[in-house]
Short mmCIF file of all heavy atoms in Angstrom, two decimals:
data_model
loop_
_atom_site.label_atom_id
_atom_site.label_comp_id
_atom_site.label_asym_id
_atom_site.label_seq_id
_atom_site.Cartn_x
_atom_site.Cartn_y
_atom_site.Cartn_z
N ARG M 5 116.79 118.41 83.26
CA ARG M 5 117.69 118.91 82.22
C ARG M 5 119.15 118.89 82.65
O ARG M 5 120.11 118.94 81.85
CB ARG M 5 117.32 120.22 81.61
CG ARG M 5 115.89 120.31 81.02
CD ARG M 5 115.81 119.71 79.69
NE ARG M 5 116.70 120.51 78.75
CZ ARG M 5 116.27 121.55 78.12
NH1 ARG M 5 114.96 122.02 78.43
NH2 ARG M 5 117.09 122.18 77.36
N LEU M 6 119.30 118.96 83.99
CA LEU M 6 120.63 118.92 84.53
C LEU M 6 121.20 117.65 84.95
O LEU M 6 122.44 117.49 85.00
CB LEU M 6 120.75 119.90 85.80
CG LEU M 6 120.34 121.42 85.41
CD1 LEU M 6 120.38 122.06 86.75
CD2 LEU M 6 121.20 122.05 84.52
N LEU M 7 120.25 116.70 85.35
CA LEU M 7 120.72 115.53 86.08
C LEU M 7 120.09 114.28 85.38
O LEU M 7 119.05 114.44 84.83
CB LEU M 7 120.31 115.51 87.53
CG LEU M 7 120.92 116.55 88.46
CD1 LEU M 7 120.27 116.66 89.67
CD2 LEU M 7 122.46 116.26 88.57
N PRO M 8 120.72 113.10 85.43
CA PRO M 8 120.12 111.88 84.98
C PRO M 8 119.01 111.46 85.80
O PRO M 8 118.87 111.81 86.98
CB PRO M 8 121.30 110.85 84.95
CG PRO M 8 122.26 111.35 85.95
CD PRO M 8 122.15 112.85 85.84
N VAL M 9 118.02 110.65 85.28
CA VAL M 9 116.78 110.30 85.91
C VAL M 9 117.13 109.61 87.32
O VAL M 9 116.42 109.86 88.34
CB VAL M 9 115.96 109.37 85.09
CG1 VAL M 9 114.82 108.85 85.94
CG2 VAL M 9 115.38 110.04 83.92
N GLU M 10 118.14 108.73 87.30
CA GLU M 10 118.33 107.94 88.57
C GLU M 10 118.94 108.85 89.78
O GLU M 10 118.88 108.49 90.85
CB GLU M 10 119.42 106.90 88.33
CG GLU M 10 120.79 107.26 87.88
CD GLU M 10 120.90 107.54 86.29
OE1 GLU M 10 119.81 107.47 85.65
OE2 GLU M 10 122.01 107.52 85.85
N GLN M 11 119.31 110.11 89.44
CA GLN M 11 119.68 111.00 90.47
C GLN M 11 118.71 111.91 90.92
O GLN M 11 118.94 112.74 91.88
CB GLN M 11 120.93 111.74 89.96
CG GLN M 11 122.28 110.97 89.76
CD GLN M 11 123.38 111.76 89.49
OE1 GLN M 11 123.41 113.01 89.40
NE2 GLN M 11 124.63 111.16 89.22
N LEU M 12 117.45 111.88 90.31
CA LEU M 12 116.46 112.90 90.75
C LEU M 12 116.13 112.77 92.19
O LEU M 12 115.92 113.67 92.85
CB LEU M 12 115.38 112.81 89.80
CG LEU M 12 115.54 113.36 88.41
CD1 LEU M 12 114.33 113.12 87.45
CD2 LEU M 12 116.07 114.83 88.42
N PRO M 13 115.64 111.49 92.72
CA PRO M 13 115.29 111.28 94.05
C PRO M 13 116.34 111.88 95.06
O PRO M 13 116.04 112.62 95.99
CB PRO M 13 115.21 109.74 94.18
CG PRO M 13 114.85 109.30 92.82
CD PRO M 13 115.71 110.24 91.95
N ALA M 14 117.66 111.62 94.73
CA ALA M 14 118.71 112.15 95.61
C ALA M 14 118.80 113.69 95.59
O ALA M 14 118.88 114.38 96.66
CB ALA M 14 120.06 111.52 95.36
N ALA M 15 118.62 114.27 94.40
CA ALA M 15 118.63 115.57 94.26
C ALA M 15 117.55 116.34 94.96
O ALA M 15 117.64 117.44 95.69
CB ALA M 15 118.75 116.04 92.77
N ASN M 16 116.33 115.80 94.77
CA ASN M 16 115.10 116.37 95.44
C ASN M 16 115.21 116.26 97.02
O ASN M 16 114.87 117.16 97.74
CB ASN M 16 113.83 115.69 94.99
CG ASN M 16 113.49 116.08 93.68
OD1 ASN M 16 113.43 117.27 93.29
ND2 ASN M 16 113.33 115.18 92.76
N SER M 17 115.82 115.07 97.42
CA SER M 17 116.03 114.98 98.95
C SER M 17 116.97 116.01 99.45
O SER M 17 116.89 116.53 100.51
CB SER M 17 116.55 113.53 99.24
OG SER M 17 116.92 113.45 100.55
N LEU M 18 118.10 116.28 98.64
CA LEU M 18 119.08 117.28 99.08
C LEU M 18 118.48 118.62 99.17
O LEU M 18 118.66 119.47 100.21
CB LEU M 18 120.29 117.27 98.13
CG LEU M 18 121.27 116.10 98.18
CD1 LEU M 18 122.18 116.19 97.04
CD2 LEU M 18 122.03 116.07 99.55
N ASN M 19 117.66 118.99 98.21
CA ASN M 19 116.93 120.31 98.21
C ASN M 19 115.93 120.35 99.33
O ASN M 19 115.88 121.38 99.97
CB ASN M 19 116.18 120.43 96.81
CG ASN M 19 117.16 120.82 95.67
OD1 ASN M 19 118.25 121.31 95.97
ND2 ASN M 19 116.70 120.54 94.47
N MET M 20 115.21 119.40 99.55
CA MET M 20 114.27 119.41 100.68
C MET M 20 114.79 119.44 101.96
O MET M 20 114.30 120.16 102.89
CB MET M 20 113.23 118.12 100.55
CG MET M 20 112.43 118.23 99.26
SD MET M 20 111.35 116.75 99.16
CE MET M 20 110.63 117.05 97.60
N THR M 21 115.91 118.72 102.19
CA THR M 21 116.63 118.75 103.50
C THR M 21 117.14 120.26 103.73
O THR M 21 116.96 120.64 104.92
CB THR M 21 117.97 117.88 103.48
OG1 THR M 21 117.38 116.55 103.18
CG2 THR M 21 118.60 117.85 104.81
N VAL M 22 117.64 120.91 102.79
CA VAL M 22 118.07 122.24 103.03
C VAL M 22 116.87 123.19 103.33
O VAL M 22 116.84 124.04 104.35
CB VAL M 22 118.78 122.94 101.73
CG1 VAL M 22 119.01 124.41 101.90
CG2 VAL M 22 120.14 122.13 101.55
N MET M 23 115.76 123.03 102.69
CA MET M 23 114.50 123.78 102.96
C MET M 23 114.10 123.60 104.32
O MET M 23 113.69 124.45 105.07
CB MET M 23 113.41 123.51 101.97
CG MET M 23 113.73 123.91 100.42
SD MET M 23 113.92 125.63 100.31
CE MET M 23 112.27 126.24 100.65
N MET M 24 113.88 122.31 104.77
CA MET M 24 113.38 122.11 106.11
C MET M 24 114.29 122.45 107.20
O MET M 24 113.89 122.97 108.24
CB MET M 24 113.05 120.55 106.24
CG MET M 24 112.03 120.02 105.33
SD MET M 24 110.48 121.10 105.19
CE MET M 24 109.89 120.88 106.87
N ALA M 25 115.56 122.37 106.88
CA ALA M 25 116.62 122.84 107.92
C ALA M 25 116.47 124.38 108.10
O ALA M 25 116.51 124.98 109.24
CB ALA M 25 118.03 122.59 107.55
N GLY M 26 116.26 125.07 107.00
CA GLY M 26 115.95 126.51 107.00
C GLY M 26 114.73 126.81 107.78
O GLY M 26 114.56 127.82 108.52
N ALA M 27 113.59 125.91 107.57
CA ALA M 27 112.31 126.16 108.35
C ALA M 27 112.50 126.02 109.78
O ALA M 27 111.71 126.57 110.61
CB ALA M 27 111.37 125.19 107.73
N ILE M 28 113.52 125.30 110.27
CA ILE M 28 113.74 125.11 111.67
C ILE M 28 114.68 126.27 112.15
O ILE M 28 114.32 127.00 113.21
CB ILE M 28 114.51 123.74 112.00
CG1 ILE M 28 113.54 122.58 111.62
CG2 ILE M 28 114.86 123.60 113.53
CD1 ILE M 28 114.18 121.34 111.69
N ALA M 29 115.77 126.46 111.49
CA ALA M 29 116.77 127.45 111.96
C ALA M 29 116.24 128.94 111.74
O ALA M 29 116.53 129.72 112.68
CB ALA M 29 118.03 127.32 111.17
N GLY M 30 115.56 129.28 110.60
CA GLY M 30 115.19 130.58 110.37
C GLY M 30 114.29 131.21 111.44
O GLY M 30 114.60 132.34 112.01
N PRO M 31 113.19 130.56 111.86
CA PRO M 31 112.40 131.14 112.93
C PRO M 31 113.16 131.27 114.36
O PRO M 31 113.00 132.25 114.92
CB PRO M 31 111.24 130.05 113.17
CG PRO M 31 111.20 129.46 111.72
CD PRO M 31 112.49 129.42 111.19
N MET M 32 114.02 130.26 114.55
CA MET M 32 114.82 130.40 115.90
C MET M 32 115.79 131.64 115.77
O MET M 32 115.79 132.47 116.79
CB MET M 32 115.60 129.12 116.06
CG MET M 32 114.82 127.91 116.33
SD MET M 32 115.73 126.40 116.39
CE MET M 32 116.78 126.74 117.82
N VAL M 33 116.52 131.74 114.65
CA VAL M 33 117.47 132.83 114.59
C VAL M 33 116.64 134.24 114.42
O VAL M 33 116.97 135.18 115.08
CB VAL M 33 118.30 132.67 113.29
CG1 VAL M 33 119.23 133.92 112.98
CG2 VAL M 33 119.16 131.37 113.55
N GLY M 34 115.63 134.23 113.56
CA GLY M 34 114.87 135.55 113.36
C GLY M 34 114.20 135.92 114.79
O GLY M 34 114.27 137.15 115.05
N GLY M 35 113.53 134.94 115.45
CA GLY M 35 112.90 135.33 116.71
C GLY M 35 113.96 135.95 117.73
O GLY M 35 113.63 136.86 118.46
N ALA M 36 115.28 135.41 117.59
CA ALA M 36 116.19 135.89 118.64
C ALA M 36 116.82 137.19 118.11
O ALA M 36 117.21 138.11 119.04
CB ALA M 36 117.35 134.76 118.65
N LEU M 37 116.83 137.42 116.81
CA LEU M 37 117.52 138.66 116.31
C LEU M 37 116.50 139.82 116.30
O LEU M 37 117.09 141.01 116.45
CB LEU M 37 117.98 138.50 114.91
CG LEU M 37 119.21 137.60 114.70
CD1 LEU M 37 119.63 137.53 113.26
CD2 LEU M 37 120.41 138.30 115.47
N ILE M 38 115.30 139.68 116.25
CA ILE M 38 114.33 140.83 116.08
C ILE M 38 114.54 141.89 117.27
O ILE M 38 114.59 143.01 117.11
CB ILE M 38 112.87 140.39 116.01
CG1 ILE M 38 112.60 139.79 114.62
CG2 ILE M 38 111.90 141.55 116.30
CD1 ILE M 38 111.20 139.14 114.42
N PRO M 39 114.60 141.42 118.55
CA PRO M 39 114.67 142.29 119.70
C PRO M 39 116.16 142.93 119.69
O PRO M 39 116.25 144.10 120.34
CB PRO M 39 114.49 141.42 120.90
CG PRO M 39 113.88 140.21 120.40
CD PRO M 39 114.33 139.91 119.02
N VAL M 40 117.05 142.35 119.00
CA VAL M 40 118.36 142.86 119.19
C VAL M 40 118.76 143.81 117.92
O VAL M 40 119.31 144.92 118.26
CB VAL M 40 119.42 141.63 118.98
CG1 VAL M 40 120.82 142.20 119.10
CG2 VAL M 40 119.11 140.74 120.26
N VAL M 41 118.40 143.48 116.81
CA VAL M 41 118.70 144.26 115.60
C VAL M 41 117.66 144.93 114.85
O VAL M 41 117.80 145.73 113.96
CB VAL M 41 119.59 143.42 114.66
CG1 VAL M 41 120.91 142.94 115.16
CG2 VAL M 41 118.79 142.29 114.02
N GLY M 42 116.40 144.53 115.15
CA GLY M 42 115.18 145.01 114.52
C GLY M 42 114.93 144.36 113.15
O GLY M 42 115.61 143.54 112.65
N TYR M 43 113.78 144.78 112.61
CA TYR M 43 113.22 144.15 111.40
C TYR M 43 114.13 144.44 110.13
O TYR M 43 114.30 143.60 109.22
CB TYR M 43 111.81 144.52 111.15
CG TYR M 43 110.93 144.26 112.21
CD1 TYR M 43 110.48 145.31 113.04
CD2 TYR M 43 110.59 142.94 112.52
CE1 TYR M 43 109.59 144.98 114.07
CE2 TYR M 43 109.73 142.63 113.61
CZ TYR M 43 109.21 143.67 114.33
OH TYR M 43 108.35 143.41 115.42
N SER M 44 114.59 145.68 110.05
CA SER M 44 115.27 146.01 108.79
C SER M 44 116.56 145.16 108.55
O SER M 44 116.74 144.79 107.35
CB SER M 44 115.72 147.53 108.84
OG SER M 44 116.64 147.67 109.94
N TRP M 45 117.29 144.78 109.54
CA TRP M 45 118.48 143.99 109.30
C TRP M 45 118.08 142.54 108.89
O TRP M 45 118.79 142.00 108.03
CB TRP M 45 119.25 143.96 110.60
CG TRP M 45 120.19 145.04 110.73
CD1 TRP M 45 119.95 146.10 111.51
CD2 TRP M 45 121.48 145.30 110.20
NE1 TRP M 45 121.00 147.11 111.32
CE2 TRP M 45 121.93 146.59 110.67
CE3 TRP M 45 122.19 144.58 109.14
CZ2 TRP M 45 123.11 146.96 110.11
CZ3 TRP M 45 123.42 145.03 108.91
CH2 TRP M 45 123.90 146.32 109.31
#
């Protein structure tokens, strides 16, 4: 409803790239921060 059909593959690729980048960076950052700042932060 937001984009023309021809832009859907590019839009989905952009979304998935962000999600997978987060899947890499999140555990690395989280694992490093837990001993320093604790879970609540």
Side-chain angles (χ1 to χ4, degrees):
R5 298 282 297 278
L6 299 178
L7 297 167
V9 170
E10 62 271 15
Q11 290 186 3
L12 290 178
N16 285 311
S17 175
L18 288 169
N19 285 336
M20 291 175 187
T21 301
V22 170
M23 292 298 295
M24 297 311 296
I28 298 171
M32 293 174 62
V33 174
L37 286 180
I38 287 173
V40 179
V41 300
Y43 302 107
S44 62
W45 276 99

